[in-house]
Amino acid sequence: MDVDAASTPIAAATEPKPSYVKLAMRNMVRKRGLSLQHFFLTTVGLLAVFIGLAYLTR
């Protein structure tokens, strides 16, 4: 049995996991165009909902 192979899971277990924010930022940089597209679609969708609610409740 190799000593390095036995200690690898222990070393991986003590290594801290990257935070959710760090993973999200890395994903956003990797998929730049898609993130911007989703951001603008969300913005337009929210504006449509707010304008529609304002129209219905006037």
Side-chain angles (χ1 to χ4, degrees):
M1 185 159 138
D2 192 8
V3 176
D4 291 333
S7 64
T8 302
I10 296 169
T14 59
E15 186 177 304
K17 289 184 177 180
S19 69
Y20 176 76
V21 174
K22 184 181 274 189
L23 289 173
M25 292 297 286
R26 187 181 304 154
N27 190 33
M28 200 164 56
V29 168
R30 191 177 298 142
K31 299 179 178 182
R32 185 181 321 253
L34 193 61
S35 294
L36 287 173
Q37 182 183 8
H38 287 165
F39 173 75
F40 288 122
L41 282 174
T42 303
T43 303
V44 169
L46 281 173
L47 279 173
V49 166
F50 290 145
I51 292 171
L53 286 172
Y55 177 74
L56 290 174
T57 58
R58 64 181 164 97

